[in-house]
């Protein structure tokens, strides 16, 4: 999804600038994003069943903290570090949504708008501070912190939204069709000039989460529940291998480090 240039001149931004810390948005970005959402969904469920919910959440939290520490320590975008952090956000974001529902009994109809409110608050604070929500102006630590807070909120929101549609009659395959259609809306609206680049990007970014998670769940769950019955382990491994393949390609080709369009 291409985008128009946006000036990055906020007077409160720190003087010390970093190279942009996020990848150029290409088709590979969206493919890997969907893959990380599905892998995070099944990996979270697999860890919870294998280790138990509390140890799984603790392990997920530590892995997330470690991956973000590496990401923040770098002064430029590095494919493996960035996408490792996204994977860990996906796993932990899934756990956060599941803990609210399974552990605390919060209905998806309640947690979904709650996570939407949290995301809106992150965006509001981000814009109030920086006067832009562009992912291609992530050149300060503060903007990077806002960016990852928004990413975490989108994953939690998408998880809750996907589980909500799956449990109110759509099922997992129906949810895949629903979100596949929904993700076309911001792309078309931006293409025809009725939606700005930044809004279109973040709208699509949120929708990729329930799209990928619903697809992975459909592949993993039993046939009696309407799935393909491949199992959590095989689906997690297959999607992880695909992520490694695409990220490895980008690390070598550097196709995602071109001249950044602003979005």
């Amino acid at each position: 999804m291409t985008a128009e240039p946006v000036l990055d001149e906020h007077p409160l931004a720190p003087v010390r600038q970093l190279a942009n810390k996020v990848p150029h948005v290409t088709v590979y970005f969206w493919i890997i994003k969907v893959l990380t959402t599905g892998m995070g969904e099944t990996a979270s469920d697999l860890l919870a069943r294998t280790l138990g919910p509390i140890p799984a959440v603790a392990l997920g939290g530590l892995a997330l903290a470690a991956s973000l520490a590496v990401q923040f320590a770098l002064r430029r975008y590095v494919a493996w570090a960035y996408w490792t952090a996204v994977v860990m956000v996906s796993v932990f974001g899934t756990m956060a949504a599941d803990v609210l529902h399974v552990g605390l009994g919060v209905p998806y109809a309640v947690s979904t708008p709650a996570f939407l409110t949290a995301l809106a608050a992150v965006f509001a604070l981000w814009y109030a501070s920086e006067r832009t929500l562009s992912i291609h102006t992530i050149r300060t630590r503060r903007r990077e912190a806002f960016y990852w807070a928004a990413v975490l909120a989108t994953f939690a929101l998408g998880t809750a939204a996907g589980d909500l549609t799956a449990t109110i009659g759509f099922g997992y395959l129906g949810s895949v069709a629903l979100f596949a259609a929904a993700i076309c809306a911001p792309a078309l609206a931006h293409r025809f000039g009725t939606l700005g680049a930044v809004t279109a990007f973040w709208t699509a970014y949120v929708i990729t989460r329930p799209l990928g998670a619903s697809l992975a769940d459909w592949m993993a769950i039993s046939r009696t529940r309407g799935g393909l019955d491949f199992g959590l382990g095989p689906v997690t491994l297959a999607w992880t291998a695909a992520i490694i393949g695409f990220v490895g390609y980008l690390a070598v080709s550097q196709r995602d480090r071109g001249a950044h369009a602003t979005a």
Side-chain angles (χ1 to χ4, degrees), residues 10-138:
H10 191 265
L12 296 181
V15 174
R16 189 178 184 184
Q17 298 280 306
L18 306 171
N20 195 56
K21 297 290 294 291
V22 301
H24 181 47
V25 179
T26 66
V27 64
Y28 299 106
F29 177 93
W30 294 112
I31 291 172
I32 300 172
K33 174 61 169 61
V34 171
L35 288 170
T36 61
T37 67
M39 180 270 184
E41 177 76 14
T42 55
S44 174
D45 291 343
L46 181 63
L47 286 171
R49 292 186 184 182
T50 304
L51 304 176
I54 294 177
V57 170
L59 180 61
L62 289 173
L64 173 61
S67 63
L68 286 178
V70 172
Q71 171 65 20
F72 273 83
L74 296 171
R75 293 190 56 78
R76 61 180 178 83
Y77 164 72
V78 176
W80 69 265
Y82 174 86
W83 286 111
T84 297
V86 172
V87 167
M88 292 300 102
V89 168
S90 177
V91 173
F92 191 76
T94 301
M95 291 176 174
D98 288 344
V99 164
L100 279 180
H101 180 71
V102 179
L104 301 179
V106 178
Y108 291 126
V110 174
S111 60
T112 299
F115 285 128
L116 178 60
T117 301
L119 177 60
V122 171
F123 282 149
L125 291 171
W126 183 355
Y127 189 80
S129 173
E130 306 299 322
R131 297 302 177 190
T132 178
L133 300 179
S134 170
I135 69 162
H136 292 305
T137 59
I138 310 299

Side-chain angles (χ1 to χ4, degrees), residues 120-203:
V122 171
F123 282 149
L125 291 171
W126 183 355
Y127 189 80
S129 173
E130 306 299 322
R131 297 302 177 190
T132 178
L133 300 179
S134 170
I135 69 162
H136 292 305
T137 59
I138 310 299
R139 299 190 181 96
T140 69
R141 299 299 186 197
R142 182 167 58 197
R143 289 186 180 184
E144 190 172 13
F146 279 124
Y147 173 77
W148 286 106
V151 169
L152 181 57
T154 64
F155 273 93
L157 169 61
T159 299
D163 287 336
L164 174 63
T165 59
T167 55
I168 62 173
F170 285 93
Y172 289 110
L173 184 57
S175 295
V176 172
L178 173 66
F179 292 115
I183 203 170
C184 295
L188 291 173
H190 174 62
R191 182 177 180 84
F192 291 103
T194 58
L195 190 65
V198 172
T199 304
F201 171 84
W202 283 112
T203 302

